[in-house]
């Protein structure tokens, strides 16, 4: 039997080329080697207020983008988190073995709540729900961006704690980080990671950007005051453009060096823009096909949830039994 892989994305904001190069494409590549489960984590999304109509729309958009990017629904299960009740159930059981201090220490929690007064407790619980996602399917491998490493460590701590309190129950999951160069920075500010929620019009190339607009955003990307590419002195902006180029064209670092050393920034940007557009074009074409038939997406998500539900139910039963919850086990 193939080892199981689980990962997910929040249906908030727009997916961008950083989400594609840093996560989605990685999932596509490994899906054949694992029993793959990819989730749209709407329960995580509501840790911050979401407009219900908008959330409903985004869930479908992200699901369609998974498929458009190359996740094969015949091979991998694609489903919406809230369609499988086990996520919320296991999350509660794990909450009860989690210390508040562990959660308060999470850098993402600290970043999200900095200078804020009214903080929803869902934000604190966020990593516990994430652990539940993973443990519910006894996933062996979890491919995520580097910003999620700490949450994965917490997940392993929870496995350790639960298993030692109640006996072997959960599989210890391993983190799988994407190859270097997959961390895409903001086009308007290359010192900050490209973000789904950033406001600036020139910040990110969205996967569903009009191709002309995508081209234009790359042409306007922030570089530095040098006139041309100098590998002995690369600014953050130029380094980011080169790494986006390399990621989309899948060429080697040597090829990039040979191709771009000494090139004027205008010409560099043109080539990067062309590579990005060439990468987005087939994704957008598939996206249009998929969304042309709304019933197809409904079916796909229903089937995905039906496929994973028995696994989830089995784990919930096991956890209940181990904890001595009502009428489970002897
Ligand atoms: N927190 C993850 C992110 O923001 C999304 C996520 C939720 C996730 N549950 C998960 C990722 C389980 C991997 C496994 O990217």
């Amino acid at each position: 039997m193939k080892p199981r892989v689980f990962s997910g994305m929040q249906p908030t904001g727009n997916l961008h080329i950083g989400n594609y190069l840093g996560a989605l494409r990685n999932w596509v590549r490994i899906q054949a080697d694992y029993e793959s489960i990819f989730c749209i984590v709407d329960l995580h999304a509501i840790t911050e207020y979401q407009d219900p109509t908008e959330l409903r729309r985004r869930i479908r958009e992200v699901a369609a983008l998974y498929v458009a990017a190359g996740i094969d629904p015949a091979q991998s299960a694609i489903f919406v988190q809230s369609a499988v009740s086990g996520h919320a159930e296991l999350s509660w059981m794990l909450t009860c073995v989690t210390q508040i201090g562990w959660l308060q220490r999470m850098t993402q929690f600290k970043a999200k709540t900095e200078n804020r007064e009214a903080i929803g407790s869902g934000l604190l619980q966020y990593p516990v729900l994430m652990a539940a996602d993973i443990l519910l399917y006894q996933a062996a491998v979890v491919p995520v961006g580097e910003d999620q490493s700490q949450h994965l460590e917490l997940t392993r701590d929870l496995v350790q704690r639960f298993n030692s309190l109640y006996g072997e129950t959960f599989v210890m999951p391993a983190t799988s980080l994407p190859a270097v160069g997959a961390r895409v920075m903001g086009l308007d500010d290359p010192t900050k990671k490209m973000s789904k929620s950033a406001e600036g019009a020139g910040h990110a190339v969205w996967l569903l950007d009009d191709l002309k607009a995508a081209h234009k955003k790359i042409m306007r990307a922030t570089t530095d005051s040098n006139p041309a590419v100098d590998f002995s002195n690369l600014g953050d902006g130029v380094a980011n453009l080169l790494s986006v180029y390399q990621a989309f064209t899948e060429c080697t670092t040597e090829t990039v060096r040979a191709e771009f050393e000494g090139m004027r920034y205008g010409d560099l940007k043109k080539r990067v823009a062309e590579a990005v557009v060439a990468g987005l074009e087939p994704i957008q074409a598939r996206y249009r096909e998929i969304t042309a038939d709304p019933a197809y997406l409904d079916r796909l998500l229903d089937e995905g949830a039906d496929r994973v539900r028995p696994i989830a139910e089995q784990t919930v039963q096991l956890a209940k039994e181990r904890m001595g919850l009502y009428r489970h086990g002897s």
Side-chain angles (χ1 to χ4, degrees), residues 1-54:
M1 230 174 64
K2 291 179 184 174
R4 205 172 276 148
V5 117
F6 182 96
S7 199
M9 276 187 200
Q10 289 194 62
T12 52
N14 289 308
L15 295 197
H16 51 65
I17 56 172
N19 299 125
Y20 175 65
L21 297 172
L24 256 184
R25 192 171 68 166
N26 199 26
W27 302 357
V28 173
R29 286 183 175 154
I30 63 173
Q31 67 181 331
D33 301 328
Y34 294 92
E35 183 190 336
S36 305
I37 305 178
F38 299 116
C39 187
I40 296 115
V41 293
D42 58 346
L43 296 173
H44 279 97
I46 58 166
T47 54
E48 310 221 46
Y49 175 81
Q50 305 295 327
D51 174 75
T53 308
E54 181 67 3

Side-chain angles (χ1 to χ4, degrees), residues 1 65 162 249 267 315 325 327:
M1 230 174 64
L65 277 170
F162 193 102
T249 59
D267 295 326
T315 310
L325 294 170
R327 275 194 185 165

Side-chain angles (χ1 to χ4, degrees), residues 6-8 10 41 44 126 130 133-134 142 144 148:
F6 182 96
S7 199
Q10 289 194 62
V41 293
H44 279 97
Y126 183 108
M130 181 165 162
D133 296 342
I134 296 162
V142 185
V144 284
Q148 297 299 313

Side-chain angles (χ1 to χ4, degrees), residues 13-247:
N14 289 308
L15 295 197
H16 51 65
I17 56 172
N19 299 125
Y20 175 65
L21 297 172
L24 256 184
R25 192 171 68 166
N26 199 26
W27 302 357
V28 173
R29 286 183 175 154
I30 63 173
Q31 67 181 331
D33 301 328
Y34 294 92
E35 183 190 336
S36 305
I37 305 178
F38 299 116
C39 187
I40 296 115
V41 293
D42 58 346
L43 296 173
H44 279 97
I46 58 166
T47 54
E48 310 221 46
Y49 175 81
Q50 305 295 327
D51 174 75
T53 308
E54 181 67 3
L55 179 59
R56 236 180 321 265
R57 186 184 75 72
R58 290 259 186 230
I59 290 169
R60 301 177 63 81
E61 183 178 286
V62 173
L65 277 170
Y66 280 8
V67 182
I71 306 284
D72 174 8
Q75 219 168 80
S76 308
I78 301 170
F79 77 106
V80 181
Q81 189 183 29
S82 64
V84 178
S85 60
H87 292 261
E89 286 182 82
L90 186 59
S91 181
W92 175 253
M93 294 182 240
L94 295 175
T95 291
C96 297
V97 299
T98 306
Q99 291 177 25
I100 296 176
W102 300 353
L103 300 176
Q104 286 167 330
R105 246 181 267 133
M106 294 288 113
T107 53
Q108 204 165 74
F109 173 72
K110 286 197 271 189
K112 280 184 183 171
T113 56
E114 214 176 22
N115 305 319
R116 272 174 56 177
E117 269 180 25
I119 296 162
S121 66
L123 275 181
L124 186 66
Q125 293 298 328
Y126 183 108
V128 181
L129 178 59
M130 181 165 162
D133 296 342
I134 296 162
L135 304 183
L136 198 53
Y137 303 102
Q138 306 282 15
V141 180
V142 185
V144 284
E146 211 189 274
D147 60 328
Q148 297 299 313
S149 301
Q150 199 186 30
H151 289 161
L152 262 296
E153 270 162 45
L154 181 89
T155 303
R156 285 190 288 270
D157 288 345
L158 280 172
V159 169
Q160 180 80 52
R161 179 146 173 85
F162 193 102
N163 286 355
S164 77
L165 284 172
Y166 297 109
E168 276 309 299
T169 306
F170 298 117
V171 168
M172 192 64 85
T175 309
S176 158
L177 296 177
V180 266
R183 188 162 189 258
V184 179
M185 311 304 284
L187 297 174
D188 55 347
D189 178 0
T191 63
K192 296 214 175 78
K193 216 183 108 176
M194 194 174 275
S195 150
K196 277 159 133 186
S197 52
E199 293 290 320
H203 173 76
V205 173
W206 312 120
L207 295 184
L208 295 176
D209 253 345
D210 170 77
L211 294 176
K212 280 206 194 87
H215 195 282
K216 214 177 269 171
K217 282 181 185 174
I218 302 278
M219 294 307 292
R220 290 189 184 150
T222 300
T223 48
D224 51 59
S225 53
N226 294 339
V229 180
D230 173 3
F231 279 92
S232 66
N233 179 26
L234 276 188
D236 291 337
V238 174
N240 187 41
L241 289 173
L242 289 168
S243 109
V244 166
Y245 178 87
Q246 187 175 353

